[in-house]
Amino acid sequence: MYDVVIIGAGVIGTFIARELSRYNLEIAIIDKENDVANGTTKANTAIIHAGYDAKSGTKMARFNVLGNEMFDEICNELDVEFKRTGSLVVAFNEDDMEKVKTLYQRGIRNGVKDMTIVGKNEIKDMEPNISDDIVGGIYALSCGIIDPWNLAIGLAENAVDNGVKLLLNTEVIDINKTEDYYTILADKQKLKAKYVINCAGLYADRINNMVASPSFIIKPRRGQYFVLDKDAGNLFNTVIFQCPSKFGKGVVVAPTVHGNVIIGPNAEDIGDRDGKHTTAEALDYVRKASLRTSSKIPFKKVITTFAGLRADTNIGDFIIEESKEAKGFIDVAGIKSPGLSSAPAIAKYVVKLVDKIAGGLEKNEKFNPIRKRVLRFSKLNSEEKKQIIRFDSKYGRIVCRCEQITEGEIVDCIRRKAGATTVDGVKKRVRPGSGRCQGGFCQVRVMEILARELGKDMSEILKDNIKSYILTGRTNKGEGRC
Amino acid sequence: MLEYDIVVIGGGQAGLAAAIEAKKNGIDSIIIIERDKELGGILQQCIHNGFGVHEFGEELTGTEYAERFIDQVNTYDIECKLVTMVLRITNKKIVEVVNSEDGYMCIKAKSIILAMGCRERTRGAIIIPGTRPSGIFTAGAAQRIINMEGYLIGKKVFILGSGDIGLIMARRLTLEGAKVLGVAEILEYSSGLSRNIVQCLDDFNIPLLLGHTVTSILGKDRIEGVVVAKVDKNRKPIKESEKIYECDTLLLSVGLIPENELSKDVKIRIDSNTGGPIVNQIMETSINGIFACGNVVHVHDLADYVSEESKRAGRNAAKYVKGEIKNSKNVIGIISGKGIRYVVPHYIGVDDIEEYIDLFMRVDRVYENIRLSVISEAEILKEVFRKRVCPGEMQKIKLPLFHFKDRKISSIKIEVREGG
């Protein structure tokens, strides 16, 4: 019997798992996918918003501002890349400027600190490559950029270190409510839990409906993005939003913590929860819209495009509450933007809910908040490089040339708790294949390492989820040439 | 710090040929740095024949061709470091390398030869919309998996791009029992060699769809199909012509890009047309003593041309070490005229000309019955007739030394002349 079962191992689920592991509870976090961070956490803008965007008085506004302030500490504890770059919302005319001022006022009401209205010259000083058409904007110091995958992975690792069980490939089929507990039917397993926390993202309504009558509907909203080569990485210094206008909500251009540039998203309401495909039309829209911010964006340096789905609902705000019909069942649903920014505050709030429902929680005195990430060979100085290779010669073999990733780093990310088991799992953790050759050189080498470390044959290695096989068997000659 | 006269970066065809030639020209202290576990580079995955007709006067497979050079490297006792990556080079010619055995080390070179080859253009770079399932491979990566690792990649294959590797893989996959549904090429002509179209597609009844492209990728986990459409004159897909091909594999053969991360890092001047370093006729880059050859300079169609160019680099790197390169200010610029996409070399250092100069070039589209003219101001220095030229096939013009000796020429231009 578990005290708590968390459904969904995205950034929200893993955050809640980690925060609950501060208490003496038997906790399991389960996910239908074969890796953590494989849903909305995998594909988003990777921004920690300041908090002026959400309507005052909403949970979104409250948790965004609270969450934002918590990122320095959490990223420090979990060794996750995070940088407060600051953000700009730029206006292209006087009408826009009025809206900018409204946003500023809203920011003040929401409790956002360190915002200023800035003029064209100040913006040009900050962003020399920005369009000459801008007239001014808001600068918000607290906005930041983050590695969302390694945040969720770091949270999962830390949660597991502190006693949480992580069960992947565990899709919830049904949940039965009895007097004192829930029985979760997940694949062939039956998990019993006193409390269930629904962090199922795009599927949160279906999970809710297993124990209660429908109270919200998930409405997937797709956003499409471009990622530019690191060659273009110095183009912008801050996260640049466009002022919402008659041209639409506008798109973001921003540096990433890895040194690339991200451009997007658009917003399309689509019915399909699996509709994570890009389209020529939407990419074209994003491209054109972004060129308003800067005509200097070099689209010939695109290394990849992707689409992500936000789990919007018909409610218009985050849903974070105990179900009215199912005691001990907590919905954490509709976590659309600014969900990532709000995650730390949401997790703290959910802990309070559990504490209240359980009538008090007992502290886990052994809780260790620290997790060390896989070291980054490319960031070491020459003496450190020599040392680490002497310690383990696998750090002397570069597997991914574009990102300079060594075999040592790949092996480390596989052997960890909540470790990688797929090519994309390795890519999310230590980035081979994220560079300009997109795995052309390293994919087969990563597969070899995965096969060796997991005791599998190469042909069993998956790209991503369970049906994403890469190889289809041996050639006629069987053994290959060498 | 380790010291060598010549450090060769890359042990593929270019690096091997350059190293051997430098050795033959009197340099003993040479080291080849190779990132893979064996020498030969891409040739090791080229088990098809058609190599060596110019160089050896016989048809060899890629692996056999590489073996001949590797044998020479062994005979000449040229030192090699395998599974070793170059992290950086500096303008003082220090090469930072790393491997499991020696760890991290710096090597001081008198001369460096860049021979890093090229990489394949990806799905991301050409922005094909759709899902991101497994089963999408660049043709060269697929070739490595099949020919070197011994694994199959799929049963029903569609190929985008008619580059040579894609054509060769169409045949290879068919021989391994896969069904190749077709090859789409966005241009109105193939960028591959004509012989490959005949031997790899026509002989196996694989359709070549000219003026077509893939407009979307379908399938959630593994690729399940591609949407293929005709394109208009501006290479924009025509919506009404879209057709779905159900397949479990998409192969991309959509271009090669010279791999110049190291060169750019040390601020060697790069030609935006070729994607490779700007070089003179002895293959010296904008940094004296750093030479470059093979696909790192510009993408070649024939390995023999790589060998030829690389020998020139090796020979002249040897001369550089011996202090025999003049590097005077006396240079002649080379201009790509009408119909020429690029010419390598980019300029001529007059005082270092050998007996002749080889000009390698590609045209910008298909032409028939034309002359390739080398012009200096109004004077035609050389003209060659060609029945048919296409961008996929490199053109070569040999210019003897006498054209330049004791003459004041500031630049030459190469152009396509039609008619007459």
Side-chain angles (χ1 to χ4, degrees):
Chain A
M1 169 83 87
Y2 290 103
D3 293 310
V4 184
V5 167
I6 299 161
I7 302 170
V11 72
I12 299 296
T14 53
F15 225 129
I16 292 170
R18 191 255 188 178
E19 288 308 312
L20 281 174
S21 71
R22 292 174 186 272
Y23 303 90
N24 284 329
L25 294 166
E26 288 295 315
I27 304 164
I29 176 165
I30 66 177
D31 200 288
K32 68 182 172 62
E33 296 291 327
N34 56 3
D35 198 2
V36 301
N38 244 22
T40 299
T41 304
K42 185 162 89 170
N44 56 75
T45 323
I47 288 170
I48 303 307
H49 295 269
Y52 45 73
D53 196 43
K55 221 170 114 190
S56 306
T58 59
K59 290 194 186 79
M60 295 192 293
R62 182 172 133 215
F63 289 126
N64 185 165
V65 175
L66 285 172
N68 179 301
E69 290 174 3
M70 295 155 82
F71 271 93
D72 301 281
E73 191 188 345
I74 191 79
C75 291
N76 202 17
E77 286 175 348
L78 299 177
D79 206 359
V80 171
E81 280 165 294
F82 170 61
K83 193 177 165 197
R84 289 202 190 270
T85 54
S87 66
L88 288 164
V89 182
V90 293
F92 293 92
N93 51 48
E94 286 313 311
D95 279 359
D96 284 359
M97 239 6 237
E98 286 307 309
K99 285 184 194 119
V100 159
K101 283 172 192 158
T102 314
L103 273 181
Y104 178 83
Q105 291 305 331
R106 190 191 286 174
I108 300 283
R109 279 201 302 279
N110 291 355
V112 179
K113 292 174 199 150
D114 301 318
M115 281 186 305
T116 35
I117 302 269
V118 283
K120 179 172 181 168
N121 291 344
E122 286 163 276
I123 293 179
K124 288 294 272 187
D125 283 348
M126 282 187 257
E127 297 290 358
N129 290 316
I130 209 163
S131 162
D132 281 331
D133 296 341
I134 58 136
V135 297
I138 311 179
Y139 177 65
L141 198 69
S142 62
C143 180
I145 55 177
I146 195 165
D147 174 347
W149 317 311
N150 273 308
L151 175 60
I153 289 159
L155 287 162
E157 283 179 12
N158 189 234
V160 173
D161 277 342
N162 286 303
V164 173
K165 284 212 170 52
L166 172 68
L167 305 171
L168 297 170
N169 296 310
T170 305
E171 181 169 3
V172 175
I173 311 294
D174 202 3
I175 305 173
N176 292 316
K177 187 169 59 166
T178 43
E179 195 62 27
D180 303 321
Y181 59 87
Y182 291 91
T183 305
I184 299 163
L185 221 73
D187 288 340
K188 283 160 200 133
Q189 302 186 61
K190 275 185 187 168
L191 305 170
K192 288 181 183 167
K194 285 188 207 152
Y195 314 115
V196 176
I197 304 175
N198 172 15
C199 307
L202 290 160
Y203 298 87
D205 51 352
R206 290 189 188 166
I207 298 292
N208 172 77
N209 299 351
M210 290 175 185
V211 298
S213 47
S215 55
F216 61 91
I217 304 161
I218 296 286
K219 296 178 145 183
R221 178 173 287 177
R222 182 167 60 199
Q224 304 191 24
Y225 298 85
F226 292 94
V227 179
L228 302 189
D229 194 291
K230 286 181 174 176
D231 268 5
N234 292 327
L235 209 55
F236 304 109
N237 304 307
T238 61
V239 176
I240 308 173
F241 298 86
Q242 296 172 339
C243 182
S245 71
K246 62 181 182 211
F247 296 106
K249 205 164 172 271
V251 300
V252 182
V253 294
T256 73
V257 286
H258 304 114
N260 303 87
V261 176
I262 188 167
I263 300 160
N266 68 324
E268 308 157 80
D269 289 316
I270 59 165
D272 182 5
R273 295 170 207 245
D274 287 327
K276 275 187 284 186
H277 55 278
T278 54
T279 61
E281 296 74 20
L283 289 173
D284 199 44
Y285 164 81
V286 171
R287 186 178 58 79
K288 284 187 181 139
S290 70
L291 290 171
R292 280 190 87 207
T293 299
S294 169
S295 58
K296 291 182 187 157
I297 298 171
F299 278 92
K300 63 176 187 194
K301 289 192 191 285
V302 170
I303 58 170
T304 193
T305 55
F306 68 91
L309 298 179
R310 302 90 134 172
D312 202 358
T313 64
N314 55 331
I315 305 296
D317 196 2
F318 296 155
I319 300 160
I320 309 169
E321 60 198 16
E322 186 181 20
S323 167
K324 290 179 185 69
E325 297 175 30
K327 205 174 152 19
F329 183 95
I330 300 170
D331 281 314
V332 187
I335 312 298
K336 56 179 179 174
S337 178
L340 180 60
S341 319
S342 308
I346 291 174
K348 290 270 186 223
Y349 180 74
V350 171
V351 170
K352 266 192 212 157
L353 287 181
V354 174
D355 179 82
K356 205 171 130 200
I357 297 165
L361 297 174
E362 186 188 319
K363 267 217 153 81
N364 170 9
E365 297 300 339
K366 284 183 283 181
F367 177 78
N368 174 12
I370 303 299
R371 168 258 185 186
K372 287 313 280 179
R373 60 160 289 150
V374 177
L375 75 81
R376 276 158 294 177
F377 181 81
S378 65
K379 306 266 185 207
L380 302 179
N381 65 32
S382 47
E383 207 37 57
E384 292 166 332
K385 280 177 179 157
K386 281 180 196 164
Q387 268 179 20
I388 190 73
I389 300 168
R390 270 200 295 271
F391 166 74
D392 182 349
S393 63
K394 291 191 195 72
Y395 288 96
R397 184 183 166 219
I398 307 262
V399 173
C400 163
R401 194 201 42 68
C402 301
E403 299 283 315
Q404 270 188 21
I405 313 292
T406 62
E407 181 175 4
E409 291 160 84
I410 294 170
V411 168
D412 184 5
C413 91
I414 297 168
R415 288 185 185 170
R416 283 173 174 239
K417 292 167 184 168
T421 58
T422 63
V423 171
D424 281 2
V426 173
K427 182 176 167 182
K428 270 193 299 198
R429 286 165 176 81
V430 292
R431 294 179 58 73
S434 306
R436 54 183 66 110
C437 95
Q438 290 283 295
F441 175 71
C442 65
Q443 180 175 323
V444 61
R445 290 160 178 87
V446 171
M447 289 170 70
E448 275 167 13
I449 296 169
L450 275 166
R452 186 189 71 210
E453 291 296 316
L454 302 174
K456 291 182 174 179
D457 185 72
M458 280 269 279
S459 57
E460 295 174 81
I461 301 304
L462 301 169
K463 175 182 182 282
D464 190 7
N465 39 29
I466 205 88
K467 290 177 195 153
S468 64
Y469 65 90
I470 299 169
L471 305 174
T472 58
R474 284 296 205 178
T475 54
N476 286 333
K477 289 278 175 220
E479 281 304 301
R481 202 181 51 77
C482 52
Chain B
M1 199 183 319
L2 282 172
E3 291 185 18
Y4 285 86
D5 283 348
I6 299 178
V7 174
V8 180
I9 303 177
Q13 184 48 34
L16 294 173
I20 294 162
E21 196 68 9
K23 180 86 180 191
K24 284 182 180 169
N25 281 272
I27 303 298
D28 281 326
S29 165
I30 304 174
I31 187 166
I32 301 174
I33 313 285
E34 167 56 42
R35 68 182 182 182
D36 218 329
K37 54 182 184 269
E38 59 190 327
L39 294 172
I42 291 303
L43 286 172
Q44 294 289 13
Q45 61 189 53
C46 296
I47 61 171
H48 54 281
N49 64 358
F51 293 83
V53 181
H54 298 239
E55 181 79 23
F56 299 111
E58 59 182 310
E59 261 202 62
L60 304 171
T61 63
T63 44
E64 288 168 336
Y65 188 82
E67 214 52 47
R68 299 232 174 156
F69 286 86
I70 295 169
D71 285 348
Q72 285 188 62
V73 164
N74 292 333
T75 309
Y76 282 113
D77 209 14
I78 296 171
E79 208 177 320
C80 302
K81 284 261 177 232
L82 300 177
V83 204
T84 302
M85 190 73 85
V86 174
L87 299 179
R88 206 161 76 96
I89 57 179
T90 70
N91 53 11
K92 299 255 185 287
K93 301 192 187 70
I94 290 167
V95 184
E96 295 178 20
V97 307
V98 67
N99 67 25
S100 292
E101 245 170 58
D102 312 288
Y104 170 90
M105 58 183 182
C106 295
I107 304 172
K108 176 94 184 83
K110 287 187 183 141
S111 172
I112 296 172
I113 300 176
L114 305 175
M116 292 90 76
C118 57
R119 65 168 183 270
E120 298 181 280
R121 185 168 280 126
T122 64
R123 180 236 172 136
I126 60 169
I127 313 179
I128 308 176
T131 52
R132 297 210 287 175
S134 65
I136 304 168
F137 299 86
T138 52
Q143 190 177 43
R144 184 186 171 96
I145 291 171
I146 295 171
N147 293 346
M148 293 182 74
E149 315 291 337
Y151 285 93
L152 295 171
I153 56 161
K155 298 190 170 79
K156 269 173 101 175
V157 185
F158 194 85
I159 301 177
L160 174 62
S162 61
D164 286 312
I165 315 172
L167 300 175
I168 282 156
M169 287 310 292
R171 173 174 65 186
R172 184 78 185 94
L173 285 159
T174 308
L175 294 175
E176 286 290 345
K179 172 82 185 150
V180 178
L181 305 173
V183 177
E185 168 59 58
I186 195 165
L187 301 174
E188 278 305 325
Y189 52 86
S190 164
S191 51
L193 295 169
S194 309
R195 70 168 192 221
N196 283 334
I197 294 176
V198 175
Q199 294 170 8
C200 301
L201 299 186
D202 298 353
D203 289 357
F204 297 91
N205 293 318
I206 297 169
L208 173 60
L209 308 166
L210 294 174
H212 282 70
T213 193
V214 171
T215 58
S216 189
I217 288 167
L218 311 172
K220 184 170 162 258
D221 306 306
R222 175 79 182 193
I223 185 169
E224 289 165 20
V226 290
V227 181
V228 176
K230 247 190 207 142
V231 295
D232 65 17
K233 274 186 214 133
N234 304 315
R235 296 186 200 165
K236 291 266 174 278
I238 303 166
K239 194 99 193 149
E240 299 71 45
S241 69
E242 282 187 346
K243 191 180 158 189
I244 292 174
Y245 285 77
E246 279 176 28
C247 59
D248 65 10
T249 306
L250 173 65
L251 229 58
L252 300 174
S253 180
V254 291
L256 300 168
I257 303 161
E259 187 123 273
N260 278 292
E261 276 62 35
L262 296 172
S263 333
K264 286 178 190 165
D265 193 42
V266 69
K267 305 221 160 30
I268 284 171
R269 284 181 63 209
I270 301 289
D271 171 5
S272 59
N273 282 318
T274 56
I278 289 175
V279 292
N280 60 15
Q281 83 287 358
I282 58 171
M283 305 311 290
E284 194 178 29
T285 67
S286 60
I287 299 181
N288 286 351
I290 299 185
F291 294 78
C293 53
N295 285 346
V296 81
V297 179
H298 59 130
V299 175
H300 294 61
D301 55 349
L302 298 178
D304 278 341
Y305 285 156
V306 171
S307 305
E308 203 179 310
E309 185 181 283
S310 304
K311 285 179 189 174
R312 203 169 336 120
R315 191 164 60 240
N316 285 288
K319 277 191 189 169
Y320 179 87
V321 170
K322 292 185 278 187
E324 294 169 12
I325 297 293
K326 297 186 188 73
N327 264 323
S328 69
K329 292 249 156 29
N330 194 3
V331 297
I332 299 171
I334 299 177
I335 299 163
S336 301
K338 196 171 115 336
I340 303 292
R341 191 190 287 165
Y342 73 78
V343 184
V344 168
H346 301 79
Y347 66 100
I348 298 165
V350 178
D351 297 319
D352 292 313
I353 296 178
E354 299 176 290
E355 290 136 66
Y356 58 86
I357 294 165
D358 279 331
L359 301 175
F360 287 106
M361 68 204 72
R362 284 184 193 261
V363 293
D364 61 3
R365 64 175 173 87
V366 177
Y367 294 92
E368 282 178 358
N369 299 316
I370 54 113
R371 286 162 295 148
L372 291 169
S373 306
V374 184
I375 310 153
S376 169
E377 293 179 17
E379 185 194 351
I380 295 174
L381 298 181
K382 182 151 185 176
E383 217 168 33
V384 292
F385 176 77
R386 293 280 189 271
K387 208 168 158 41
R388 187 176 186 274
V389 291
C390 62
E393 295 182 6
M394 249 164 63
Q395 302 298 321
K396 180 175 142 184
I397 300 176
K398 235 182 175 68
L399 283 183
L401 177 60
F402 70 79
H403 284 302
F404 307 101
K405 212 153 196 181
D406 308 321
R407 292 178 57 174
K408 281 267 168 268
I409 297 177
S410 66
S411 69
I412 58 171
K413 180 161 89 176
I414 297 100
E415 64 180 31
V416 171
R417 294 194 165 183
E418 291 179 274

